[in-house]
Amino acid sequence: MAVPVIDFSKLNGEERAKTLAEIAVACEEWGFFQLVNHGITEEVLERVKRVCSEHYKVEREEGFNNSEAVKSLNDLVEKKSGEKLENLDWEDVFLLSDDNQWPSTTPGFKETMAEYRSELKKLACEVMEVMDENLGLPKGYINKAFNGGDGDENNAFFGTKVSHYPPCPHPELVNGLRAHTDAGGVILLFQDDKVGGLQVLKDGQWIDVQPLHNAIVINTGDQIEVLSNGKYKSVWHRVNAMADGNRRSIASFYNPSLKATIAPATELIQNTNQDDDQVDQEANYPKFVFGDYMSVYADQKFLPKEPRFQAVKAM
């Protein structure tokens, strides 16, 4: 089994219907798929790779080598207990958003990442419109819901996690990133071309998300699962620590505003019978404010998602 690879450019040609169907299947059966020919230029992507790798080497590597993860792993190896570090990740990570301070020492980093994020945000909106169409929702439905129900597209949160997973001397003793589902909406990942490690849980098996040159990996978060009333699922995924290679991973999240109210789309909890009378179907998820969900998620990220839905239902 392999994570689906979809040519996004074919949405604009004769194979549009086929491509829509491929994306629908990927959302319903995988929760993960890779986009090629997605519209972000090779030149921009190559610059992103270069500035992020340079930034890690110049500004982050020394800090990681003195991090709690490295110290804890060294202590564990000395003890020879055979245990595994379960409560931390072998990851260096920082966040870029519209309202935090960005690194400025690495030449070209700020300019390149601002350009990349602008292009990626457009792609996120295009992907959400495809989901709208496949789910039978009005165009712009998901995006509007994420922005709190009004037309202002600046309410939704768009953040970018820049991560590196350095070579690990004992990858059997620590996770690169512990298994979890993503709390938010649509996630767009620009992963390393060569160093693997990302896996998705499919039918009880961990499947590699194969490195693919300059592809963008899409996965659906918990809020897409809710809006689709469970037709699309957020799925467990993890990163394995690797003995060789410094895995670069740039994950961007198009998430609801913290004030946005999230619930299954009305169109997906109604069914029309032969007499054209609407019969309500059960909503499989509660209605809640996204900020409340994030408060629960902060303490339960690496636990099953179902209790999180129950917790916000009780709020």
Side-chain angles (χ1 to χ4, degrees):
M1 286 193 294
V3 172
V5 177
I6 297 169
D7 185 340
F8 204 56
S9 68
K10 290 185 176 180
L11 281 174
N12 300 318
E14 295 179 355
E15 296 184 53
R16 176 177 175 80
K18 178 184 175 185
T19 307
L20 284 170
E22 289 175 351
I23 294 173
V25 169
C27 290
E28 292 173 22
E29 298 184 4
W30 283 87
F32 263 77
F33 54 98
Q34 303 210 56
L35 290 184
V36 296
N37 297 323
H38 40 63
I40 303 176
T41 67
E42 295 270 318
E43 188 271 334
V44 169
L45 295 175
E46 291 300 323
R47 273 195 286 130
V48 168
K49 288 188 277 192
R50 177 174 56 80
V51 298
C52 287
S53 294
E54 288 178 2
H55 174 72
Y56 175 77
K57 191 163 188 61
V58 174
E59 299 187 54
R60 307 285 304 185
E61 186 171 35
E62 183 178 351
F64 180 80
N65 290 338
N66 294 302
S67 68
E68 184 63 33
V70 173
K71 292 174 185 174
S72 297
L73 183 61
N74 289 339
D75 290 345
L76 189 66
V77 170
E78 284 184 16
K79 291 178 183 176
K80 297 181 180 178
S81 65
E83 297 176 1
K84 184 174 181 177
L85 290 173
E86 296 289 0
N87 295 318
L88 53 76
D89 303 307
W90 190 261
E91 176 189 34
D92 176 79
V93 59
F94 63 95
L95 177 71
L96 303 176
S97 69
D98 290 336
D99 54 6
N100 72 344
Q101 188 169 353
W102 291 20
S104 57
T105 304
T106 304
F109 181 89
K110 291 176 73 174
E111 298 81 1
T112 296
M113 294 308 291
E115 182 179 354
Y116 171 69
R117 276 171 45 83
S118 175
E119 292 297 308
L120 201 68
K121 192 172 183 179
K122 294 176 191 173
L123 179 60
C125 293
E126 292 172 7
V127 169
M128 287 187 289
E129 287 184 358
V130 170
M131 292 180 180
D132 290 331
E133 186 170 349
N134 277 335
L135 289 167
L137 300 174
K139 183 177 180 178
Y141 183 99
I142 294 173
N143 200 3
K144 187 175 181 181
F146 283 2
N147 280 283
D150 57 37
D152 186 353
E153 291 193 6
N154 295 315
N155 291 335
F157 176 78
F158 188 63
T160 299
K161 271 179 51 180
V162 180
S163 300
H164 283 82
Y165 302 91
C168 181
H170 297 279
E172 74 283 359
L173 298 180
V174 64
N175 300 287
L177 179 60
R178 286 163 283 173
H180 63 285
T181 67
D182 288 323
V186 175
I187 299 85
L188 304 94
L189 168 68
F190 184 27
Q191 70 165 345
D192 202 287
D193 285 344
K194 298 174 182 177
V195 184
L198 175 62
Q199 294 183 319
V200 57
L201 190 63
K202 165 73 169 163
D203 299 332
Q205 297 182 46
W206 286 105
I207 306 295
D208 292 333
V209 181
Q210 62 275 26
L212 186 60
H213 179 69
N214 286 351
I216 299 293
V217 182
I218 307 292
N219 73 281
T220 48
D222 295 348
Q223 308 314 306
I224 293 291
E225 178 170 332
V226 173
L227 282 169
S228 71
N229 202 33
K231 188 168 187 179
Y232 296 169
K233 292 286 196 299
S234 63
V235 295
W236 288 90
H237 52 285
R238 68 185 184 187
V239 178
N240 289 327
M242 307 293 279
D244 300 310
N246 185 7
R247 174 182 168 83
R248 180 187 58 253
S249 174
I250 305 162
S252 298
F253 303 80
Y254 196 102
N255 287 356
S257 157
L258 290 176
K259 296 180 180 178
T261 298
I262 303 298
T266 305
E267 290 86 343
L268 302 179
I269 56 174
Q270 290 182 335
N271 186 33
T272 304
N273 65 21
Q274 291 181 343
D275 298 324
D276 290 330
D277 292 321
Q278 288 192 320
V279 179
D280 284 343
Q281 292 182 323
E282 182 180 357
N284 297 322
Y285 301 85
K287 182 178 182 179
F288 54 85
V289 175
F290 181 62
D292 291 339
Y293 188 83
M294 286 303 294
S295 296
V296 174
Y297 185 84
D299 295 325
Q300 299 184 18
K301 175 176 179 177
F302 302 109
L303 299 173
K305 62 192 168 188
E306 290 76 16
R308 301 198 288 261
F309 296 134
Q310 292 302 315
V312 289
K313 184 178 182 179
M315 286 181 170

